Amino acid sequence: MRSKVTVVGAGNVGATTAQRIFDKGYADVVLVDIVEGLPQGKALDMLEAGPVTGTDATVVGTNGYDETENSDIVVVTSGIARKPGMSRDDLLLTNMKIVSSVVKEVAAMSPNCVLLPVTNPLDAMAQKSHEVSGFPKNRVVGMAGILDTARFRTFLAQELNVSVNSVEAYVLGGHGDTMVPIVGSTTVGGTPVAKLIAKDRLEEIVQRTRDGGAEIVNYLKTGSAYYAPSAAIARMVESILLDRKEILPCTTLLEGEYGINNLFVGVPVKLGAGGVEEVIEFDLNDDELAALRKSAASVQELVDVMAAAE
Ligand code: APR
C-alpha cells in the first residue's frame, strides 16, 4: 500500500507541495482547505496530469478531515501569508488560532502521523503544534532551515559561479531575522567559503539570506514564496517516507542541546521513518553559539506572547 500524505492549506505553498509529492508517485495525497471547491478543483487538476507525467498515485481535495484518516505525514500550511512591510511575527496570533484548530483535527484522525508545520512564524507554530497534538517530539518537525539554507547556497553558488551542488552549508536558528548561517562550516568543493569570498561580501550574502523571504514578498506584493518552500517540504517528506535518514536543518524541540531548553528551534536533525531520529550537535564557535541562542530568545518571545494571549 502507498503511503498517505495530507497537506492542509490549498494555497500557494500547500498546493505546490501537494503537486510535488503527487508527482513523485510514492504517496497518495489529500489536500484540505476551508474554501469550498478550492482543494477539490486543484486536486482534480493535479490528478488529470497523471496520465501525462506517468503518475498513478491519487490526489483528492476536501473541506473536511475524514479523508485524511491514518495519514503517515500531515503538512500544515494553513494560515495567512505576509504582505510587504509585514514580518513573519505579525502573523502570530491569527495563525496560532488556525494552526491550533487544524492540528486538533488532524491529530485525532491520524494519531500516528509525523506532523510537519510550515505556517509562519514557523518555530512558534511548531511549538504550538507539539503542544496541541500531544505527539512525542520526534513526530513534530518544522520546515524552515532547508529553505533558508537553499537560499544561502543559491547566493553563494551565484557569487562563485559554481553548481549549487558544490556548496555545502547549514542555516540554523529561528526562521526569522535572527537566523544563523553557519559560515564557519560552509564549504565550496571542500574549501571553506571564508577563503573564497571576502569578509564584507560574505556578510552581504548572509544578510541577503536573512532577508530572502522579504525579497520575494517585495516582488510578489500579494503573497510570499512558495516554489522553494514546497521543494524543502517535499525533501523532508521524502526523507521520512523513504527512511533516508538525511541530516537536514529542521525545527525541532530542543531539550538542552546547544544550551536551549523546551523550545522549537532550527538545528540539524536526522530525518527518517521515525521523524526526528537524532538531533545533531554541531561544533559551533562562540559567536555562532551566541547567535543561535539569541535567535532562540526571539522564538521564546513569540511563545510567551502566545501563552499570554490564551
Ligand atoms: N483550515 C484549512 N485551511 C485554511 C484555514 C483553516 N482553518 N485557514 C486558512 N486556510 C487556507 C486558506 O484558505 C488558504 O487557501 O490556507 C491557505 C493559505 O494559502 P495562501 O494564502 O496562498 O498562503 P501560502 O503562501 O500558501 O502560505 C501559507 O505558509 O510559508 C507560510 O508564511 C506562509 O503562513 C503562511 C503559510
Side-chain angles (χ1 to χ4, degrees), residues 29 37 41 45 51 53 62 69 71 89 97 130 133 152 162 164 189 195 202 222-223 229 235 295:
V29 179
D45 193 10
T53 59
T62 173
E69 191 174 15
S71 295
D89 299 355
K97 290 191 192 109
H130 177 249
S133 65
F152 190 39
V162 297
V164 290
K195 290 196 170 165
L202 201 47
T222 55
R235 180 84 177 266
S295 185

Side-chain angles (χ1 to χ4, degrees), residues 11-13 33-35 38 77-81 95 98 102 118-120:
N12 284 335
V13 177
D33 202 284
I34 37 164
V35 177
L38 183 74
T77 77
S78 46
I80 54 166
N95 283 350
I98 294 172
V102 165
V118 174
T119 304
N120 275 312

Side-chain angles (χ1 to χ4, degrees), residues 11-291:
N12 284 335
V13 177
T16 321
T17 299
Q19 187 200 5
R20 287 187 188 277
I21 297 167
F22 170 70
D23 276 353
K24 294 275 187 184
Y26 46 61
D28 292 325
V29 179
V30 181
L31 186 60
V32 183
D33 202 284
I34 37 164
V35 177
E36 268 182 46
L38 183 74
Q40 292 87 345
K42 289 192 178 183
L44 184 59
D45 193 10
M46 279 176 218
L47 187 72
E48 290 166 357
V52 183
T53 59
T55 308
D56 49 15
T58 65
V59 50
V60 295
T62 173
N63 301 117
Y65 287 88
D66 289 352
E67 293 87 340
T68 71
E69 191 174 15
N70 288 330
S71 295
D72 298 286
I73 297 181
V74 177
V75 179
V76 179
T77 77
S78 46
I80 54 166
R82 283 199 279 174
K83 303 256 166 25
M86 287 172 92
S87 81
R88 292 182 183 91
D89 299 355
D90 293 333
L91 313 173
L92 183 69
L93 294 180
T94 305
N95 283 350
M96 175 186 88
K97 290 191 192 109
I98 294 172
V99 168
S100 298
S101 72
V102 165
V103 167
K104 244 177 239 152
E105 302 269 10
V106 294
M109 294 306 285
S110 303
N112 299 313
C113 74
V114 176
L115 260 182
L116 227 154
V118 174
T119 304
N120 275 312
L122 185 271
D123 308 272
M125 292 305 114
Q127 188 102 17
K128 186 45 81 180
S129 301
H130 177 249
E131 177 194 317
V132 171
S133 65
F135 283 5
K137 65 175 183 172
N138 60 300
R139 288 201 283 115
V140 182
V141 53
M143 187 292 291
I146 301 173
L147 169 64
D148 296 328
T149 302
R151 287 177 173 149
F152 190 39
R153 288 172 61 197
T154 302
F155 303 147
L156 290 173
Q158 275 182 344
E159 180 73 12
L160 294 169
N161 193 26
V162 297
S163 162
V164 290
N165 297 311
S166 299
V167 181
E168 196 178 355
Y170 282 89
V171 178
L172 309 185
H175 184 46
D177 302 336
T178 58
M179 68 180 73
V180 190
I182 306 296
V183 175
S185 57
T186 300
T187 56
V188 180
T191 305
V193 74
K195 290 196 170 165
L196 301 171
I197 302 177
K199 198 167 180 282
D200 290 358
R201 180 66 189 136
L202 201 47
E203 191 42 52
E204 282 171 14
I205 293 171
V206 164
Q207 194 53 43
R208 188 176 176 198
T209 302
R210 289 202 183 98
D211 296 336
E215 187 176 355
I216 308 265
V217 171
N218 288 335
Y219 278 123
L220 296 181
K221 298 196 174 59
T222 55
S224 54
Y226 53 101
Y227 291 114
S230 58
I233 300 163
R235 180 84 177 266
M236 291 173 72
V237 167
E238 184 162 316
S239 197
I240 296 166
L241 286 187
L242 304 187
D243 195 23
R244 294 185 67 180
K245 303 191 191 299
E246 284 200 271
I247 294 176
L248 298 165
C250 300
T251 299
T252 189
L253 182 66
L254 296 183
E255 290 180 309
E257 299 92 341
Y258 297 97
I260 298 166
N261 238 314
N262 281 323
L263 202 62
F264 271 79
V265 179
V267 295
V269 300
K270 185 163 91 180
L271 264 194
V276 174
E277 297 186 349
E278 195 183 333
V279 173
I280 312 291
E281 286 204 73
F282 274 4
D283 209 2
L284 301 181
N285 66 34
D286 289 349
D287 287 350
E288 289 164 346
L289 196 57

